[in-house]
Each structure stands twice: as structure tokens, then as C-alpha cells.
Amino acid sequence: MRIVIQRVKRASVTIGNELHSSIGPGLMVLVGVAVGDTEADMEWLASKTAQMRIFDDENGVMNRSVTDVGGDVLAVSQFTLTASTRKGNRPSYIHAAGHDVAVPLYEKYCERVGQLTGRQVLRGVFGADMQVELINDGPVTIIVDSKLKE
């Protein structure tokens, strides 16, 4: 699994010109599930999401997590994070997990982050054509890959 974590002032998902989800200060997380990903990958990433210290403390040092600051989390599935760009200029998505694997792992990731942070994780809709808006705070953007463990 691969996620992109963005510290945001606010973020939202719109589907079919209707607001579906929106958050205030917190994290916007894009979630990509690949072939071979497991619940262990999901658990590792959920823990990283809840504990990543990318919010400023009283001294202006990034030393607090979304859990520490009581921030919101918006998670959106994004199979394009699994793209292979090794050959040519058209990304290949052969590494993306099918719905039977990706949907349960995405849902479990959202549930687990909610448990770890003590706050409901808002979501997009798996497979939907979504418009995502955000105000990246900093900007702070972190890519985390469960296979690389970085």
C-alpha cells in the first residue's frame, strides 16, 4: 500500500457537483492498494497516519501528530498511486489491486485510523469520479509506502 499524506487547512470531496465530505485542519490522505497488499500493510500505514508528527508544537517545530492536535482526516482511494511509469509515457496500473482486495483494505484503513485517532475518518467513494480540493498547509506532503517501510 502507498499513501500520500498532506497536512491541510481544509479539504473536500465533491461527486457529481455535490459536496460529499469536507474537513477542517488535519490530514488529506490518498490511499493506493496494490496487488499483494495485506492487513499488515494496512495496519502499519494506519499507525503511521495517526502518529506522524507533522503538526507544529508551541515552538513551531513539527512535533505533534493529527491525534495530538485533534485534527480531522479525509481519506480518498486512489489506484493511480500504484502506477508504473518504467516504460513509455502512459502509466500502467497492472500493480493496482482489484476491488475484491482494494475495497476491504481501504475501508479497514479508514476504520483503523479512526480508532487510533479517536475521530471518524471522512471518505471519498471508492471508484467514483471525485473532485478533491484542499489547502495544503506548509506545504507538507509525505509519501509512505508499506513495502519500502519509508
Side-chain angles (χ1 to χ4, degrees):
M1 288 178 73
R2 182 175 292 159
I3 60 174
V4 176
I5 299 173
Q6 297 175 89
R7 186 179 73 183
V8 298
K9 294 281 189 184
R10 66 178 180 272
S12 65
V13 172
T14 301
I15 302 171
N17 293 323
E18 290 189 29
L19 181 64
H20 178 74
S21 299
S22 67
I23 64 168
L27 300 176
M28 169 73 211
V29 185
L30 304 175
V31 181
V33 181
V35 171
D37 286 337
T38 66
E39 287 199 28
D41 294 297
M42 175 279 302
E43 183 66 39
W44 189 80
L45 288 174
S47 178
K48 285 289 186 184
T49 302
Q51 297 176 25
M52 182 87 45
R53 298 185 318 177
I54 58 175
F55 291 87
D56 291 347
D57 63 15
E58 60 280 351
N59 297 314
V61 176
M62 285 195 282
N63 203 26
R64 300 184 75 199
S65 69
V66 69
T67 305
D68 296 333
V69 301
D72 294 323
V73 178
L74 174 59
V76 174
S77 62
Q78 188 168 357
F79 77 95
T80 59
L81 292 179
T82 67
S84 173
T85 58
R86 180 169 288 177
K87 294 182 181 178
N89 293 315
R90 180 183 301 161
S92 169
Y93 303 106
I94 62 170
H95 300 299
H99 280 71
D100 57 327
V101 172
V103 173
L105 282 177
Y106 165 70
E107 293 294 335
K108 287 177 182 178
Y109 167 83
C110 293
E111 291 168 16
R112 187 64 179 133
V113 171
Q115 291 169 351
L116 292 169
T117 61
R119 297 177 64 91
Q120 178 184 6
V121 173
L122 297 179
R123 307 170 192 197
V125 174
F126 193 94
D129 181 17
M130 297 174 273
Q131 288 67 55
V132 177
E133 292 185 88
L134 60 98
I135 305 290
N136 193 321
D137 182 19
V140 175
T141 302
I142 310 289
I143 301 169
V144 189
D145 189 304
S146 65
K147 297 300 187 218
L148 300 175
K149 294 290 191 246
E150 65 176 20

